[in-house]
Amino acid sequence: DQQVKQNSPSLSVQEGRISILNCDYTNSMFDYFLWYKKYPAEGPTFLISISSIKDKNEDGRFTVFLNKSAKHLSLHIVPSQPGDSAVYFCAASVGRTYKYIFGTGTRLKVLA
Amino acid sequence: NAGVTQTPKFRVLKTGQSMTLLCAQDMNHEYMYWYRQDPGMGLRLIHYSVGEGTTAKGEVPDGYNVSRLKKQNFLLGLESAAPSQTSVYFCATGDRWGSEQFFGPGTRLTVL
């Protein structure tokens, strides 16, 4: 039973446009969320996080939105660049504990 | 700084063989983790350590053992490899409980 779901396995976006990656979760106890980016043959790298006390967190071109009532979070990348092409994982935890539950990932391709 | 390194990068084993994966970090982080990533699934936690000399089970610990004799190294052992252990293994570190995690480049293991 996937507690963290990324229902879109892949997404293609034109350079300069907005990329929106979605993540849904089922456990209402989750209160800390992270996004990781992964290039081929490399380990995931941390991108951005959000606590459930917020509904938005911004870091440069990356913004994460959290909708607790819908149990949904999204990552917005504006503007998208070819270097953003990677697999993006969302992860969730109950409190800031070691036990992150990861989604299955969304492969983003930014077309030049 | 090398960050988090993993040895080896690739390995092919026959069923029943044993091997040890090495994770080394120069970040002076207390916490270290071993994950596996399988197609269509997110990263799943195998074992983790909260400091030198400590280890604990994660989500999918069966068939694996770990040791943390030195702060900078975290070893993952397979005593009798099975085809179900074919996967990509990632080591990660963290500098405090629940912080973002820093991942190594991964080890691709195939068990025939």
Side-chain angles (χ1 to χ4, degrees):
Chain A
D1 178 33
Q2 278 285 117
Q3 295 188 65
V4 178
K5 300 176 186 178
Q6 294 178 258
N7 291 318
S8 298
S10 63
L11 174 69
S12 290
V13 171
Q14 287 291 331
E15 181 179 6
R17 307 294 291 268
I18 183 171
S19 295
I20 300 176
L21 295 96
N22 295 307
C23 181
D24 297 295
Y25 59 96
T26 57
N27 187 344
S28 58
M29 299 295 291
F30 286 146
D31 59 1
Y32 187 64
F33 305 89
L34 307 90
W35 284 94
Y36 281 84
K37 178 169 73 174
K38 184 184 178 305
Y39 293 119
E42 295 183 12
T45 54
F46 171 74
L47 199 53
I48 192 168
S49 63
I50 188 166
S51 164
S52 61
I53 62 173
K54 294 184 174 183
D55 54 18
K56 175 182 172 181
N57 189 26
E58 215 169 331
D59 184 1
R61 296 186 296 113
F62 302 92
T63 303
V64 56
F65 295 92
L66 176 61
N67 182 333
K68 290 183 287 292
S69 60
K71 296 194 186 70
H72 176 84
L73 66 155
S74 60
L75 175 68
H76 292 210
I77 306 173
V78 185
S80 301
Q81 299 174 355
D84 296 328
S85 297
V87 177
Y88 290 79
F89 292 97
C90 65
S93 70
V94 177
R96 296 183 67 162
T97 70
Y98 70 90
K99 198 170 182 179
Y100 294 118
I101 305 297
F102 282 82
T104 53
T106 296
R107 183 178 302 276
L108 172 67
K109 190 170 185 178
V110 180
L111 306 169
Chain B
N1 287 348
V4 182
T5 59
Q6 291 183 233
T7 309
K9 289 186 169 45
F10 303 94
R11 186 74 186 267
V12 178
L13 288 179
K14 293 182 180 177
T15 297
Q17 287 185 316
S18 63
M19 77 162 295
T20 301
L21 282 68
L22 170 64
C23 176
Q25 54 119 345
D26 61 4
M27 306 171 83
N28 202 34
H29 285 170
E30 287 295 331
Y31 309 120
M32 297 187 75
Y33 311 84
W34 276 108
Y35 290 90
R36 60 179 288 173
Q37 185 193 7
D38 300 296
M41 305 192 75
L43 292 155
R44 293 182 293 167
L45 183 65
I46 305 171
H47 285 280
Y48 66 100
S49 167
V50 300
E52 181 179 316
T54 76
T55 63
K57 294 180 180 179
E59 199 180 344
V60 288
D62 294 341
Y64 305 95
N65 56 76
V66 287
S67 64
R68 183 99 181 267
L69 298 179
K70 294 182 179 180
K71 183 178 182 179
Q72 64 268 32
N73 295 337
F74 195 28
L75 279 65
L76 178 71
L78 286 72
E79 288 187 352
S80 180
S84 61
Q85 294 177 304
T86 294
S87 188
V88 180
Y89 291 85
F90 289 101
C91 173
T93 72
D95 63 355
R96 62 186 181 277
W97 198 245
S99 70
E100 64 186 83
Q101 294 176 5
F102 298 83
F103 285 81
T107 295
R108 183 174 294 275
L109 175 67
T110 301
V111 183
L112 303 174

PDB file of all heavy atoms in Angstrom, chain A residues 7-8 12 14 19 21 25 29 36 41-43 47 51-53 59 64 74 78 80 87-88 99 101-103:
ATOM      1  N   ASN A   7       1.585   9.880  -9.197  1.00  0.00           N
ATOM      2  CA  ASN A   7       0.808   9.156 -10.199  1.00  0.00           C
ATOM      3  C   ASN A   7       1.261   9.399 -11.633  1.00  0.00           C
ATOM      4  O   ASN A   7       0.857   8.661 -12.534  1.00  0.00           O
ATOM      5  CB  ASN A   7      -0.670   9.517 -10.057  1.00  0.00           C
ATOM      6  CG  ASN A   7      -1.248   8.961  -8.766  1.00  0.00           C
ATOM      7  OD1 ASN A   7      -0.965   7.830  -8.384  1.00  0.00           O
ATOM      8  ND2 ASN A   7      -2.052   9.756  -8.082  1.00  0.00           N
ATOM      9  N   SER A   8       2.079  10.425 -11.840  1.00  0.00           N
ATOM     10  CA  SER A   8       2.581  10.674 -13.189  1.00  0.00           C
ATOM     11  C   SER A   8       4.015  10.170 -13.276  1.00  0.00           C
ATOM     12  O   SER A   8       4.913  10.791 -12.708  1.00  0.00           O
ATOM     13  CB  SER A   8       2.545  12.161 -13.518  1.00  0.00           C
ATOM     14  OG  SER A   8       1.224  12.645 -13.481  1.00  0.00           O
ATOM     15  N   SER A  12       6.742  16.038 -19.675  1.00  0.00           N
ATOM     16  CA  SER A  12       7.590  16.814 -20.596  1.00  0.00           C
ATOM     17  C   SER A  12       7.111  18.248 -20.629  1.00  0.00           C
ATOM     18  O   SER A  12       5.901  18.497 -20.727  1.00  0.00           O
ATOM     19  CB  SER A  12       7.527  16.226 -22.005  1.00  0.00           C
ATOM     20  OG  SER A  12       8.167  14.986 -22.059  1.00  0.00           O
ATOM     21  N   GLN A  14       8.242  22.403 -22.040  1.00  0.00           N
ATOM     22  CA  GLN A  14       9.133  23.245 -22.848  1.00  0.00           C
ATOM     23  C   GLN A  14       9.979  24.141 -21.940  1.00  0.00           C
ATOM     24  O   GLN A  14       9.510  24.617 -20.895  1.00  0.00           O
ATOM     25  CB  GLN A  14       8.309  24.119 -23.791  1.00  0.00           C
ATOM     26  CG  GLN A  14       7.680  23.373 -24.956  1.00  0.00           C
ATOM     27  CD  GLN A  14       8.714  22.887 -25.962  1.00  0.00           C
ATOM     28  OE1 GLN A  14       9.763  23.488 -26.135  1.00  0.00           O
ATOM     29  NE2 GLN A  14       8.418  21.783 -26.613  1.00  0.00           N
ATOM     30  N   SER A  19       6.954  23.807 -14.753  1.00  0.00           N
ATOM     31  CA  SER A  19       6.802  22.367 -14.513  1.00  0.00           C
ATOM     32  C   SER A  19       6.069  22.206 -13.189  1.00  0.00           C
ATOM     33  O   SER A  19       6.433  22.852 -12.197  1.00  0.00           O
ATOM     34  CB  SER A  19       8.160  21.676 -14.405  1.00  0.00           C
ATOM     35  OG  SER A  19       8.867  21.720 -15.615  1.00  0.00           O
ATOM     36  N   LEU A  21       4.981  19.195 -10.621  1.00  0.00           N
ATOM     37  CA  LEU A  21       5.060  17.788 -10.246  1.00  0.00           C
ATOM     38  C   LEU A  21       4.184  17.569  -9.015  1.00  0.00           C
ATOM     39  O   LEU A  21       4.245  18.343  -8.068  1.00  0.00           O
ATOM     40  CB  LEU A  21       6.503  17.374  -9.952  1.00  0.00           C
ATOM     41  CG  LEU A  21       7.427  17.443 -11.164  1.00  0.00           C
ATOM     42  CD1 LEU A  21       8.193  18.754 -11.181  1.00  0.00           C
ATOM     43  CD2 LEU A  21       8.392  16.280 -11.177  1.00  0.00           C
ATOM     44  N   TYR A  25      -0.604  11.846  -0.705  1.00  0.00           N
ATOM     45  CA  TYR A  25      -0.291  10.951   0.397  1.00  0.00           C
ATOM     46  C   TYR A  25      -1.576  10.528   1.097  1.00  0.00           C
ATOM     47  O   TYR A  25      -2.605  11.199   0.999  1.00  0.00           O
ATOM     48  CB  TYR A  25       0.700  11.591   1.375  1.00  0.00           C
ATOM     49  CG  TYR A  25       0.239  12.893   2.004  1.00  0.00           C
ATOM     50  CD1 TYR A  25      -0.363  12.906   3.261  1.00  0.00           C
ATOM     51  CD2 TYR A  25       0.437  14.107   1.355  1.00  0.00           C
ATOM     52  CE1 TYR A  25      -0.756  14.092   3.853  1.00  0.00           C
ATOM     53  CE2 TYR A  25       0.039  15.293   1.937  1.00  0.00           C
ATOM     54  CZ  TYR A  25      -0.548  15.285   3.176  1.00  0.00           C
ATOM     55  OH  TYR A  25      -0.952  16.476   3.745  1.00  0.00           O
ATOM     56  N   MET A  29      -1.111  11.641   9.259  1.00  0.00           N
ATOM     57  CA  MET A  29      -0.123  11.957  10.295  1.00  0.00           C
ATOM     58  C   MET A  29       1.159  12.551   9.710  1.00  0.00           C
ATOM     59  O   MET A  29       1.978  13.118  10.431  1.00  0.00           O
ATOM     60  CB  MET A  29       0.228  10.702  11.101  1.00  0.00           C
ATOM     61  CG  MET A  29      -0.942  10.094  11.832  1.00  0.00           C
ATOM     62  SD  MET A  29      -1.580  11.180  13.107  1.00  0.00           S
ATOM     63  CE  MET A  29      -0.218  11.128  14.277  1.00  0.00           C
ATOM     64  N   TYR A  36      13.280  15.486  -3.623  1.00  0.00           N
ATOM     65  CA  TYR A  36      14.632  15.175  -4.037  1.00  0.00           C
ATOM     66  C   TYR A  36      14.660  15.102  -5.548  1.00  0.00           C
ATOM     67  O   TYR A  36      13.689  14.709  -6.187  1.00  0.00           O
ATOM     68  CB  TYR A  36      15.085  13.822  -3.465  1.00  0.00           C
ATOM     69  CG  TYR A  36      15.509  13.849  -2.023  1.00  0.00           C
ATOM     70  CD1 TYR A  36      14.572  13.754  -0.997  1.00  0.00           C
ATOM     71  CD2 TYR A  36      16.853  13.975  -1.681  1.00  0.00           C
ATOM     72  CE1 TYR A  36      14.973  13.772   0.325  1.00  0.00           C
ATOM     73  CE2 TYR A  36      17.259  13.995  -0.358  1.00  0.00           C
ATOM     74  CZ  TYR A  36      16.310  13.898   0.632  1.00  0.00           C
ATOM     75  OH  TYR A  36      16.700  13.918   1.954  1.00  0.00           O
ATOM     76  N   ALA A  41      22.590   7.640 -12.727  1.00  0.00           N
ATOM     77  CA  ALA A  41      23.869   7.178 -12.175  1.00  0.00           C
ATOM     78  C   ALA A  41      24.359   8.040 -11.007  1.00  0.00           C
ATOM     79  O   ALA A  41      25.545   8.027 -10.675  1.00  0.00           O
ATOM     80  CB  ALA A  41      24.944   7.115 -13.255  1.00  0.00           C
ATOM     81  N   GLU A  42      23.470   8.807 -10.407  1.00  0.00           N
ATOM     82  CA  GLU A  42      23.812   9.585  -9.216  1.00  0.00           C
ATOM     83  C   GLU A  42      22.784   9.307  -8.127  1.00  0.00           C
ATOM     84  O   GLU A  42      21.680   8.822  -8.396  1.00  0.00           O
ATOM     85  CB  GLU A  42      23.831  11.081  -9.524  1.00  0.00           C
ATOM     86  CG  GLU A  42      24.908  11.498 -10.494  1.00  0.00           C
ATOM     87  CD  GLU A  42      24.914  13.015 -10.699  1.00  0.00           C
ATOM     88  OE1 GLU A  42      24.258  13.743  -9.929  1.00  0.00           O
ATOM     89  OE2 GLU A  42      25.592  13.462 -11.642  1.00  0.00           O
ATOM     90  N   GLY A  43      23.159   9.633  -6.893  1.00  0.00           N
ATOM     91  CA  GLY A  43      22.194   9.523  -5.817  1.00  0.00           C
ATOM     92  C   GLY A  43      21.258  10.723  -5.799  1.00  0.00           C
ATOM     93  O   GLY A  43      21.545  11.759  -6.385  1.00  0.00           O
ATOM     94  N   LEU A  47      16.188  18.900  -2.530  1.00  0.00           N
ATOM     95  CA  LEU A  47      15.797  20.085  -3.272  1.00  0.00           C
ATOM     96  C   LEU A  47      15.119  21.113  -2.362  1.00  0.00           C
ATOM     97  O   LEU A  47      15.564  22.240  -2.218  1.00  0.00           O
ATOM     98  CB  LEU A  47      14.839  19.661  -4.381  1.00  0.00           C
ATOM     99  CG  LEU A  47      14.596  20.572  -5.550  1.00  0.00           C
ATOM    100  CD1 LEU A  47      15.888  21.011  -6.212  1.00  0.00           C
ATOM    101  CD2 LEU A  47      13.700  19.862  -6.574  1.00  0.00           C
ATOM    102  N   SER A  51       7.119  22.022   6.004  1.00  0.00           N
ATOM    103  CA  SER A  51       6.477  21.512   7.198  1.00  0.00           C
ATOM    104  C   SER A  51       4.982  21.761   7.087  1.00  0.00           C
ATOM    105  O   SER A  51       4.560  22.690   6.397  1.00  0.00           O
ATOM    106  CB  SER A  51       7.046  22.238   8.417  1.00  0.00           C
ATOM    107  OG  SER A  51       6.215  22.059   9.534  1.00  0.00           O
ATOM    108  N   SER A  52       4.185  20.960   7.793  1.00  0.00           N
ATOM    109  CA  SER A  52       2.735  21.101   7.679  1.00  0.00           C
ATOM    110  C   SER A  52       2.197  22.384   8.293  1.00  0.00           C
ATOM    111  O   SER A  52       1.020  22.708   8.127  1.00  0.00           O
ATOM    112  CB  SER A  52       2.036  19.899   8.326  1.00  0.00           C
ATOM    113  OG  SER A  52       2.362  19.834   9.695  1.00  0.00           O
ATOM    114  N   ILE A  53       3.037  23.137   8.983  1.00  0.00           N
ATOM    115  CA  ILE A  53       2.566  24.412   9.521  1.00  0.00           C
ATOM    116  C   ILE A  53       2.546  25.495   8.434  1.00  0.00           C
ATOM    117  O   ILE A  53       2.020  26.583   8.634  1.00  0.00           O
ATOM    118  CB  ILE A  53       3.417  24.893  10.717  1.00  0.00           C
ATOM    119  CG1 ILE A  53       4.861  25.127  10.304  1.00  0.00           C
ATOM    120  CG2 ILE A  53       3.321  23.888  11.858  1.00  0.00           C
ATOM    121  CD1 ILE A  53       5.704  25.767  11.401  1.00  0.00           C
ATOM    122  N   ASP A  59      12.142  28.522  -2.890  1.00  0.00           N
ATOM    123  CA  ASP A  59      13.604  28.602  -2.924  1.00  0.00           C
ATOM    124  C   ASP A  59      14.010  28.810  -4.370  1.00  0.00           C
ATOM    125  O   ASP A  59      14.101  27.859  -5.149  1.00  0.00           O
ATOM    126  CB  ASP A  59      14.222  27.328  -2.360  1.00  0.00           C
ATOM    127  CG  ASP A  59      15.743  27.409  -2.297  1.00  0.00           C
ATOM    128  OD1 ASP A  59      16.323  28.468  -2.668  1.00  0.00           O
ATOM    129  OD2 ASP A  59      16.374  26.422  -1.883  1.00  0.00           O
ATOM    130  N   VAL A  64       7.276  24.741  -3.320  1.00  0.00           N
ATOM    131  CA  VAL A  64       6.455  23.592  -2.955  1.00  0.00           C
ATOM    132  C   VAL A  64       5.188  24.108  -2.283  1.00  0.00           C
ATOM    133  O   VAL A  64       5.237  25.005  -1.434  1.00  0.00           O
ATOM    134  CB  VAL A  64       7.225  22.594  -2.052  1.00  0.00           C
ATOM    135  CG1 VAL A  64       7.763  23.251  -0.800  1.00  0.00           C
ATOM    136  CG2 VAL A  64       6.347  21.407  -1.706  1.00  0.00           C
ATOM    137  N   SER A  74       2.665  19.761  -4.264  1.00  0.00           N
ATOM    138  CA  SER A  74       3.149  19.925  -5.623  1.00  0.00           C
ATOM    139  C   SER A  74       4.432  20.742  -5.602  1.00  0.00           C
ATOM    140  O   SER A  74       4.648  21.576  -4.723  1.00  0.00           O
ATOM    141  CB  SER A  74       2.093  20.590  -6.504  1.00  0.00           C
ATOM    142  OG  SER A  74       1.761  21.870  -6.012  1.00  0.00           O
ATOM    143  N   VAL A  78       9.821  27.184 -11.994  1.00  0.00           N
ATOM    144  CA  VAL A  78       9.595  28.281 -12.925  1.00  0.00           C
ATOM    145  C   VAL A  78      10.829  29.192 -12.983  1.00  0.00           C
ATOM    146  O   VAL A  78      11.228  29.698 -11.929  1.00  0.00           O
ATOM    147  CB  VAL A  78       8.378  29.145 -12.512  1.00  0.00           C
ATOM    148  CG1 VAL A  78       8.097  30.217 -13.569  1.00  0.00           C
ATOM    149  CG2 VAL A  78       7.146  28.289 -12.305  1.00  0.00           C
ATOM    150  N   SER A  80      11.371  26.516 -16.201  1.00  0.00           N
ATOM    151  CA  SER A  80      12.046  25.224 -16.343  1.00  0.00           C
ATOM    152  C   SER A  80      13.253  25.373 -17.267  1.00  0.00           C
ATOM    153  O   SER A  80      13.221  26.124 -18.248  1.00  0.00           O
ATOM    154  CB  SER A  80      11.084  24.190 -16.927  1.00  0.00           C
ATOM    155  OG  SER A  80       9.952  24.048 -16.083  1.00  0.00           O
ATOM    156  N   VAL A  87      14.751  12.776 -12.424  1.00  0.00           N
ATOM    157  CA  VAL A  87      13.634  12.131 -11.731  1.00  0.00           C
ATOM    158  C   VAL A  87      13.446  12.836 -10.392  1.00  0.00           C
ATOM    159  O   VAL A  87      14.419  13.079  -9.671  1.00  0.00           O
ATOM    160  CB  VAL A  87      13.892  10.628 -11.494  1.00  0.00           C
ATOM    161  CG1 VAL A  87      12.743  10.002 -10.709  1.00  0.00           C
ATOM    162  CG2 VAL A  87      14.077   9.908 -12.828  1.00  0.00           C
ATOM    163  N   TYR A  88      12.225  13.180 -10.075  1.00  0.00           N
ATOM    164  CA  TYR A  88      11.905  13.887  -8.835  1.00  0.00           C
ATOM    165  C   TYR A  88      11.106  12.973  -7.913  1.00  0.00           C
ATOM    166  O   TYR A  88      10.101  12.392  -8.308  1.00  0.00           O
ATOM    167  CB  TYR A  88      11.105  15.160  -9.149  1.00  0.00           C
ATOM    168  CG  TYR A  88      11.944  16.208  -9.819  1.00  0.00           C
ATOM    169  CD1 TYR A  88      12.222  16.120 -11.183  1.00  0.00           C
ATOM    170  CD2 TYR A  88      12.499  17.267  -9.101  1.00  0.00           C
ATOM    171  CE1 TYR A  88      13.027  17.059 -11.807  1.00  0.00           C
ATOM    172  CE2 TYR A  88      13.293  18.211  -9.720  1.00  0.00           C
ATOM    173  CZ  TYR A  88      13.549  18.101 -11.068  1.00  0.00           C
ATOM    174  OH  TYR A  88      14.349  19.038 -11.687  1.00  0.00           O
ATOM    175  N   LYS A  99      12.429   8.108   9.301  1.00  0.00           N
ATOM    176  CA  LYS A  99      11.642   7.207   8.475  1.00  0.00           C
ATOM    177  C   LYS A  99      10.852   7.971   7.419  1.00  0.00           C
ATOM    178  O   LYS A  99       9.681   8.272   7.593  1.00  0.00           O
ATOM    179  CB  LYS A  99      10.701   6.376   9.336  1.00  0.00           C
ATOM    180  CG  LYS A  99      10.193   5.142   8.602  1.00  0.00           C
ATOM    181  CD  LYS A  99       9.466   4.203   9.563  1.00  0.00           C
ATOM    182  CE  LYS A  99       8.998   2.967   8.835  1.00  0.00           C
ATOM    183  NZ  LYS A  99       8.311   2.030   9.732  1.00  0.00           N
ATOM    184  N   ILE A 101       9.047   8.114   3.884  1.00  0.00           N
ATOM    185  CA  ILE A 101       8.401   7.267   2.905  1.00  0.00           C
ATOM    186  C   ILE A 101       8.492   7.998   1.573  1.00  0.00           C
ATOM    187  O   ILE A 101       8.043   9.140   1.451  1.00  0.00           O
ATOM    188  CB  ILE A 101       6.934   6.998   3.258  1.00  0.00           C
ATOM    189  CG1 ILE A 101       6.803   6.421   4.668  1.00  0.00           C
ATOM    190  CG2 ILE A 101       6.297   6.067   2.223  1.00  0.00           C
ATOM    191  CD1 ILE A 101       7.457   5.074   4.854  1.00  0.00           C
ATOM    192  N   PHE A 102       9.103   7.320   0.598  1.00  0.00           N
ATOM    193  CA  PHE A 102       9.335   7.950  -0.697  1.00  0.00           C
ATOM    194  C   PHE A 102       8.255   7.548  -1.692  1.00  0.00           C
ATOM    195  O   PHE A 102       7.750   6.424  -1.673  1.00  0.00           O
ATOM    196  CB  PHE A 102      10.695   7.522  -1.251  1.00  0.00           C
ATOM    197  CG  PHE A 102      11.866   8.230  -0.624  1.00  0.00           C
ATOM    198  CD1 PHE A 102      12.383   7.807   0.591  1.00  0.00           C
ATOM    199  CD2 PHE A 102      12.460   9.305  -1.258  1.00  0.00           C
ATOM    200  CE1 PHE A 102      13.457   8.450   1.179  1.00  0.00           C
ATOM    201  CE2 PHE A 102      13.544   9.960  -0.684  1.00  0.00           C
ATOM    202  CZ  PHE A 102      14.043   9.529   0.529  1.00  0.00           C
ATOM    203  N   GLY A 103       7.944   8.470  -2.583  1.00  0.00           N
ATOM    204  CA  GLY A 103       7.110   8.155  -3.731  1.00  0.00           C
ATOM    205  C   GLY A 103       7.934   7.442  -4.790  1.00  0.00           C
ATOM    206  O   GLY A 103       9.152   7.265  -4.646  1.00  0.00           O
TER     207      GLY A 103
END
